[in-house]
Amino acid sequence: MSAIVVGGGIGGLATALSLARNGRPVRLLERAEEFAEIGAGLQFGPNASRALDALGVLDDILPLAVRPERAELRDALTGRLITTLDLGPAFDERYGYPYLVLHRHDLLETLVEHCRRHPSITLETRRSVTDVQLRPDGAGLTCADGTSYEASALIGADGLHSTLRRHVHDDEPVCSGYAAYRGTVPRELAGQSASSNDVVLWIGPGIHLMQYPVRRGELYNQVAVFRSRNFAQGRTGPGEWGGPEELDAAFATACPPVRDAVSRIGRSRHWAMFDRAPAPTWINGPLVLTGDAAHPMLQYLGQGACQALEDAVELGYRFGLHSGPDGVDLGRAYREFEAARLPRTARCQTSARPWGELWHTDDPLVLALRERVLGRRAPDDYRELDWLYAPAAAGSAAPALTVAGPAPAVTR
């Protein structure tokens, strides 16, 4: 059986590696001239660290990442500490794997290198898929340069604006009306807020700022997000909303450390925040969607790339489980993959939306309740995180995703 993965981001590369590690030859097609990630930082919960371990790349990532000791939630207007989350030994012991923060490029580069070294993986760039024909026995693909391919299995890992998704669903991404400015600065230029390895999240009405170190602590990653008044007023065209002037206005009433941090973020580019509603299926014959092509979500749980990695592990496992002398029972592999993954990713999608609303609320009653509830929780109270970070129940997912640990012994 021949398998083609369309999309050379983190999810696509991880999927190709997982399929190959489970005995399948695979070809990956990437539209760009080289493999590259847009953006800077990534937060990886222990569920993603567990998936990286299953893919055989965790040991290469740990020296490049930072293991924060805690996460802080602060009021962006007053600077007051709302609550903390202990990410130290108690956290590692509970979930078996560490919480990591890292640079997107470091992960992408590591995945590319593992894929290039694997004899069953072929990587091709400058392959923009323009036409797909789905048949009962496989799929045909045509690229913009005229190159054509045949595949028994087709995996769409081509992101939020997936061209393959239209072969499964006729829908469009939903814009939240929020814009994000992202960037890194050398640690020594990041100001007082960069003095620790903590993950710091500042939240306020219509705004938030996320900060943490990456690349062994040499760089400091910052993401400033705000609700656009222009977008809310109907000015939704290209260049009509999300510009630097709106960024500055949104954070004008923030406390000095937040305003200082936002002033250090580059203004050359911003990103609109999109998601989609959970889909009823990701499958159409020989085609299956994964990652953001299947279940794009808002960033408030920090799970976009994490869930794509879990997808990769699960899909590779199902291919290996249902392989035989005559190839893969593709229908069964796809159905079991979807049954294992769709409910979990749908929960992430639907949980991220209200969590973002809680961060950005200006409702006095909700603010009072938020301060009261979060202010009383203990730093090592992990109960609300178990559904996301704990290993899957035995038999409900790929065995590698049900493993509790132990956590790799690495100096923080």
Side-chain angles (χ1 to χ4, degrees):
M1 168 171 285
S2 59
I4 288 181
V5 175
V6 177
I10 288 171
L13 289 163
T15 299
L17 185 60
S18 183
L19 293 175
R21 286 169 60 88
N22 282 277
R24 293 293 99 195
V26 57
R27 183 183 303 272
L28 183 146
L29 307 180
E30 163 58 29
R31 71 177 67 184
E33 293 187 6
E34 58 184 18
F35 295 99
E37 268 293 306
I38 299 175
L42 279 173
Q43 296 182 74
F44 269 14
N47 61 310
S49 298
R50 186 178 296 110
L52 287 176
D53 199 12
L55 294 168
V57 301
L58 181 61
D59 288 344
D60 291 337
I61 288 298
L62 286 173
L64 305 173
V66 174
R67 296 180 67 174
E69 296 180 0
R70 68 175 189 168
E72 294 184 349
L73 182 65
R74 291 186 172 272
D75 188 306
L77 303 187
T78 67
R80 189 176 64 83
L81 180 66
I82 299 172
T83 190
T84 64
L85 178 67
D86 180 6
L87 299 174
F91 183 90
D92 291 352
E93 182 177 355
R94 187 178 187 93
Y95 298 122
Y97 282 88
Y99 196 103
L100 302 175
V101 288
L102 62 153
H103 200 288
R104 286 177 175 270
H105 180 75
D106 292 341
L107 176 59
L108 187 87
E109 193 173 60
T110 301
L111 288 170
V112 169
E113 183 59 30
H114 277 256
C115 286
R116 283 177 173 156
R117 291 203 306 257
H118 202 291
S120 296
I121 299 177
T122 302
L123 300 180
E124 297 187 19
T125 57
R126 293 180 290 182
R127 294 288 187 265
S128 180
V129 176
T130 56
D131 187 46
V132 175
Q133 304 89 37
L134 302 180
R135 304 183 298 269
D137 61 342
L141 290 81
T142 304
C143 296
D145 63 356
T147 309
S148 61
Y149 301 89
E150 294 288 328
S152 304
L154 178 60
I155 298 95
D158 51 342
L160 170 69
H161 299 287
S162 168
T163 58
L164 269 64
R165 185 180 171 99
R166 64 183 175 84
H167 296 279
V168 184
H169 296 290
D170 182 18
D171 64 355
E172 295 294 333
V174 178
C175 184
S176 68
Y178 281 78
Y181 284 75
R182 303 167 174 162
T184 59
V185 293
R187 187 78 172 260
E188 63 272 15
L189 300 180
Q192 184 178 355
S193 59
S195 60
S196 75
N197 282 342
D198 295 342
V199 174
V200 184
L201 171 62
W202 310 78
I203 59 174
I207 60 172
H208 77 262
L209 172 71
M210 181 72 77
Q211 299 176 298
Y212 50 85
V214 295
R215 194 160 284 170
R216 300 172 296 272
E218 299 164 7
L219 299 176
Y220 203 64
N221 182 67
Q222 303 188 118
V223 184
V225 177
F226 66 95
R227 180 170 52 227
S228 167
R229 289 186 178 182
N230 286 355
F231 187 93
Q233 294 170 358
R235 297 171 60 188
T236 60
E240 293 184 330
W241 69 282
E245 68 287 346
E246 279 202 291
L247 170 69
D248 292 332
F251 283 91
T253 58
C255 62
V258 171
R259 293 201 310 272
D260 178 65
V262 172
S263 72
R264 299 170 189 266
I265 299 176
R267 309 303 175 88
S268 62
R269 180 174 183 179
H270 67 272
W271 288 260
M273 301 289 99
F274 290 88
D275 71 347
R276 298 182 195 254
T281 183
W282 304 331
I283 303 167
N284 182 4
L287 169 64
V288 66
L289 304 174
T290 69
D292 281 350
H295 45 73
M297 56 193 69
L298 296 176
Q299 74 274 33
Y300 304 114
L301 297 181
Q303 283 292 308
C306 303
Q307 292 302 310
L309 291 175
E310 287 189 12
D311 284 352
V313 173
E314 187 69 45
L315 186 61
Y317 167 70
R318 297 298 170 179
F319 266 62
L321 184 64
H322 297 300
S323 293
D326 298 325
V328 177
D329 184 341
L330 196 62
R332 187 173 181 185
Y334 279 1
R335 288 192 300 272
E336 291 184 5
F337 164 75
E338 184 180 82
R341 297 294 303 144
L342 198 151
R344 176 166 169 79
T345 59
R347 184 174 181 182
C348 289
Q349 289 174 282
T350 55
S351 297
R353 289 181 175 184
W355 191 232
E357 293 170 4
L358 183 65
W359 289 9
H360 299 137
T361 184
D362 57 5
D363 184 290
L365 178 59
V366 176
L367 283 169
L369 290 172
R370 185 183 74 186
E371 305 298 303
R372 184 178 181 87
V373 172
L374 293 180
R376 288 185 172 185
R377 62 166 296 281
D380 60 351
D381 183 353
Y382 304 123
R383 291 171 295 176
E384 297 299 323
L385 300 174
D386 284 346
W387 74 272
L388 190 57
Y389 293 157
S396 67
L401 299 180
T402 68
V403 174
V410 177
T411 303
R412 288 186 176 274

